[in-house]
Amino acid sequence: MKLTTSLLTTTTIVVIIVLHGTDATVETTCKAAADSDKRVNYTFCIDELSNHHESPEADIWGLAKVAALVGADSAGDAMAYIKVLLNKVGIDSNEKVTLEQCLKLYFNVGYAFAEAYDKINYRNYTLGKEEVVLATSLSHKCDDAFTKATIANPLMQHSWYTTQIALVCTAITNLIK
Ligand SMILES: *[C@@H]1O[C@H](CO)[C@@H](O)[C@H](O)[C@H]1NC(C)=O
Ligand SMILES: *[C@@H]1O[C@H](CO)[C@@H](O)[C@H](O)[C@H]1NC(C)=O
């Protein structure tokens, strides 16, 4: 009984610390984004935006830009992973060609998110959202390349991430007054 009580207390303390650790603007903005577009994953939004060092000072406009930056960073992570895969010993030529295609595609995904950042920064939201749509479609082109080559896609997680952060970025941009 005593152990249970102390465990409960510890859990409560941890929960309080975690809640205080999340910025209030990130929480309310992710909630509003998820309410406005059911495809937005609230947990993902909170997790990914609150990790970024610019989030604590950001307003809604700032968080839309943070989402674009997170998207660009994740494209960089995808490229790094593709390079690791390309360096595998005895890589099959079919896989090599497909990975090289995806390396270019993810470079352009990163570029599109960087452009989205600029457009949102200049408050041209229509153009910003177009860049975000482009980023998503480029990551799907990589998935299509694996399908066409009929080889297992090692980058599904990256296109999932790209799609999720793109939905977050667009939904938050739509909340800017
Ligand atoms: C939502 O995001 C969380 C955290 O990234 C993830 O664990 C969960 O699987 C996602 N849910 C859906 C439906 O994609
Ligand atoms: C956004 O950019 C487009 C294309 O450059 C331009 O036609 C439009 O006027 C811009 N909108 C704003 C609000 O600046």
Side-chain angles (χ1 to χ4, degrees):
M1 202 57 199
K2 265 222 169 94
L3 179 64
T4 314
T5 312
S6 105
L7 276 178
L8 279 177
T9 310
T10 311
T11 311
T12 310
I13 291 167
V14 170
V15 168
I16 290 168
I17 290 169
V18 168
L19 285 178
H20 276 262
T22 311
D23 183 65
T25 309
V26 171
E27 264 181 47
T28 52
T29 305
C30 287
K31 176 79 171 61
D35 285 346
S36 71
D37 184 342
K38 297 298 168 216
R39 296 168 303 166
V40 168
N41 182 328
Y42 173 71
T43 316
F44 175 90
C45 180
I46 299 267
D47 286 354
E48 302 311 312
L49 296 192
S50 51
N51 272 339
H52 200 276
H53 64 94
E54 283 180 31
S55 292
E57 288 88 44
D59 56 7
I60 296 175
W61 177 49
L63 288 176
K65 289 189 278 178
V66 166
L69 288 178
V70 169
D73 283 351
S74 79
D77 292 344
M79 288 176 70
Y81 182 54
I82 293 169
K83 285 175 188 166
V84 169
L85 296 176
L86 279 168
N87 282 327
K88 268 190 317 188
V89 178
I91 184 172
D92 161 279
S93 68
N94 194 18
E95 190 180 358
K96 185 165 182 284
V97 168
T98 312
L99 284 169
E100 277 165 353
Q101 247 176 296
C102 285
L103 188 61
K104 282 195 200 129
L105 286 165
Y106 273 98
F107 174 85
N108 290 326
V109 169
Y111 191 81
F113 275 121
E115 285 287 308
Y117 176 94
D118 276 353
K119 308 302 182 202
I120 296 168
N121 196 31
Y122 286 118
R123 299 193 182 270
N124 196 325
Y125 304 127
T126 307
L127 285 186
K129 287 188 282 183
E130 280 172 18
E131 294 292 344
V132 172
V133 168
L134 177 63
T136 308
S137 80
L138 289 167
S139 77
H140 290 158
K141 275 190 185 160
C142 169
D143 295 338
D144 294 345
F146 279 102
T147 307
K148 267 192 210 130
T150 61
I151 32 183
N153 184 351
L155 297 167
M156 285 301 281
Q157 184 63 25
H158 290 278
S159 72
W160 178 82
Y161 192 100
T162 302
T163 305
Q164 296 296 315
I165 198 69
L167 288 170
V168 166
C169 185
T170 300
I172 294 179
T173 302
N174 285 332
L175 298 173
I176 302 169
K177 291 285 183 289

